């Protein structure tokens, strides 16, 4: 950040020294997480893609990203993990709004959620469950963590598609 500022590529705004680009990205990530929180309690439904019918894990993340920032993610969790344009993120570098992936069905990237901060993520877990926030440090999730992805365009004004849409 300091290098960008020194080269005049990152304007400083306000008396608090907040960078406008950094602030815009942070605000967008916060809006995305807040949007996801609005769906706490929506029931799980295999193949579900809406609050009315219920969500499965990837239907939930797809819905949140599309309706919050205009980003159309692929339909399945494993496709979201491999979507071109998303950046791999280390667990130690997670930021709110990152996609987090888990191996819950004995294959990589079989479950996805959205990191909300403080070691927690929001997701639509399984049949009989509902959208909720869970701690990634719980043994079950910690053992199954596969990786995370970040949307580099999270502050973009225009809708972005990172991979083909539904293949129904």
């Amino acid at each position: 950040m300091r290098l960008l500022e020194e080269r005049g590529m990152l304007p400083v705004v306000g008396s608090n020294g907040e960078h406008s680009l950094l602030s815009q990205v942070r605000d967008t990530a916060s809006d995305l997480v807040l949007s996801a929180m609005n769906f706490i309690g929506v029931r799980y439904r295999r193949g579900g893609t809406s609050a009315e019918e219920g969500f499965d894990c990837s239907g939930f993340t797809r819905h949140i990203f599309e309706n919050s920032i205009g980003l159309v993610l692929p339909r399945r969790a494993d496709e979201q993990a491999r979507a071109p344009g998303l950046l791999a993120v280390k667990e130690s570098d997670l930021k709110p709004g990152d996609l987090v992936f888990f191996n819950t069905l004995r294959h990589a990237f079989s479950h996805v959620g959205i990191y909300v901060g403080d070691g927690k993520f929001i997701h639509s877990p399984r049949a009989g469950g509902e959208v909720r926030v869970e701690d990634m440090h719980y043994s079950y999730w910690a053992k199954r963590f596969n990786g995370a992805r970040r949307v580099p365009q999270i502050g973009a004004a225009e809708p972005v598609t990172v991979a083909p849409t539904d293949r129904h």
Side-chain angles (χ1 to χ4, degrees):
M1 296 303 280
R2 188 177 304 154
L3 176 64
L4 292 174
E5 184 179 300
E6 288 171 0
R7 296 200 177 180
M9 300 170 77
L10 193 61
V12 176
V13 177
S15 59
N16 66 357
E18 182 74 27
H19 299 284
S20 63
L21 178 62
L22 180 61
S23 178
Q24 180 184 5
V25 170
R26 185 179 300 122
D27 290 347
T28 302
S30 296
D31 290 346
L32 186 139
V33 169
L34 288 174
S35 175
M37 294 291 193
N38 286 325
F39 293 95
I40 288 177
V42 171
R43 69 186 178 93
Y44 177 92
R45 179 168 180 249
R46 183 173 166 85
T49 59
S50 72
E52 297 76 32
E53 65 182 55
F55 292 112
D56 65 10
C57 67
S58 58
F60 175 67
T61 55
R62 184 173 191 207
H63 180 86
I64 297 303
F65 275 79
E66 185 171 357
N67 290 290
S68 296
I69 63 171
L71 178 70
V72 180
L73 293 171
R75 179 60 188 92
R76 293 184 357 212
D78 62 333
E79 293 171 337
Q80 290 178 10
R82 293 178 178 91
L86 297 184
L87 306 173
V89 179
K90 294 179 191 173
E91 187 172 5
S92 59
D93 293 332
L94 285 172
K95 293 184 179 169
D98 288 343
L99 291 167
V100 288
F101 296 91
F102 303 89
N103 176 344
T104 59
L105 299 174
R106 297 185 187 166
H107 63 86
F109 310 118
S110 52
H111 187 71
V112 62
I114 300 169
Y115 187 71
V116 299
D118 197 29
K120 302 203 173 22
F121 72 108
I122 187 168
H123 67 131
S124 187
R126 65 181 178 280
E130 52 190 41
V131 174
R132 64 181 179 229
V133 174
E134 295 202 58
D135 192 324
M136 291 177 57
H137 301 114
Y138 286 158
S139 177
Y140 179 86
W141 297 112
K143 289 181 202 173
R144 290 165 175 81
F145 180 75
N146 268 136
R149 303 291 182 269
R150 180 169 299 149
V151 178
Q153 309 93 328
I154 201 158
E158 296 295 317
V160 180
T161 301
V162 294
T165 57
D166 284 326
R167 295 184 198 146
H168 293 284

